[in-house]
Amino acid sequence: MDHAAVLALYDRDMRAGARPDGPGVRVERVGAVVRQVADANGWNGVLWSDLDAASADRVIAEQVAHFTRLGLGFEWKLYGHDRPADLGDRLRAAGFRAEPEETLLAGETARLALDAEPPAGIRLVEATDAAGVDLVVDVHERAFGTDGTRLRHRLLARLAADPGTMVAVVALAGEEPVSAARMELVPGTRFAGLWGGGTVAAWRGRGIYRALVAHRARVAAAHGYRYLQVDATPMSRPILERLGFHALSTTTPYLYEG
C-alpha cells in the first residue's frame, strides 16, 4: 500500500469531501473548515481544516461561537498530520478536552485476511430492524459502559432513511448478544468505515471481534469498496494489523462542551 497516497485520498474523500452521516444532517464548508451539524442526538463537529499559525486561533474561536449559538457541544476531530503542528495545544487553550488518541488504519479489501469465522456456538446476524438495533445498543452499553440512547437514535434514523449505507452486525451466543459492530458504506468513495466494534468482557479473547471485521470486510468487497478504514484503539489495533490493516495517521477527538 502507498500510505501517503491512501491518506491523501482519505483526506480528500472522507474529510474535505465529507457527506452527511444521516438524515437531517448537513455538512457545511466554511472557509478553511468542513463541519457537520446535526441535532443533539447526532454527531456535531469539525471533520477537516486547512489552517496555519496565523489563522488557527481565529478559526477555532469561530467554530466555538457557531456551535455555541446552536446550543450544541461538538468535537474537533484532529489528525496527527493536521496543521499547524500545535493545533492540539491551541484547542486545549480554547477550552477543548482531549479524548484518548486512536490510530487511523486502512486496509485494501482485496488483501485482507477474510477467512476468520466466529467460534463454535456463535452466530452473526445483521440488524435490519428496531429489534436488531436494540441488540446492538445492548452490547454497546455493556461493552463500553456508556449510555446508548444517542446510538439507538442514529441507527434507527439511518435504517429508516438509507439502509443501504449501513451494516450493523450482532454476534449471538444462543439468544444472548455478546458482541456487535457496524460499518458505514459511503457512496461515491472508495472507503467503507468500521465503527463501534465491542465485545462484552466475558466473551473477549475468543476471536469474535476478528470474525466481525472479516464479515464486514466481505460485505464491503461485495459492494465494490476498495478500502476499509477504522479509528483503532490500542486493544483493536494489533488484531486489525494481523488482518492486513496499515497505520496511516493518528486521530484524537477534542471535545467542546461549553
Side-chain angles (χ1 to χ4, degrees), residues 125-180:
V125 178
E126 292 191 9
T128 58
D129 56 19
V133 167
D134 285 344
L135 295 177
V136 172
V137 173
D138 176 73
V139 171
H140 179 88
E141 292 183 331
R142 290 191 290 143
F144 299 112
T146 56
D147 187 324
T149 301
R150 293 177 64 190
L151 175 62
R152 179 182 285 105
H153 173 88
R154 292 170 65 185
L155 294 183
L156 289 173
R158 190 75 169 264
L159 281 176
D162 205 355
T165 63
M166 186 193 72
V167 176
V169 191
V170 184
L172 298 173
E175 297 304 316
E176 179 190 359
V178 297
S179 186

Side-chain angles (χ1 to χ4, degrees), residues 39 69 75 80 102 123 134 137 142 233:
D39 62 19
R69 282 194 300 271
E75 174 184 330
E102 296 179 330
R123 58 193 174 96
D134 285 344
V137 173
R142 290 191 290 143
T233 67

Side-chain angles (χ1 to χ4, degrees), residues 10 14 165 167 182-186 189 191-196 216 220 225 227-231:
Y10 177 83
M14 305 298 288
T165 63
V167 176
R182 60 191 191 277
M183 176 171 65
E184 294 185 0
L185 302 169
V186 185
T189 78
F191 290 90
L194 304 185
W195 301 97
R216 289 175 290 167
Y225 285 86
Y227 299 105
L228 287 176
Q229 60 87 197
V230 57
D231 296 344

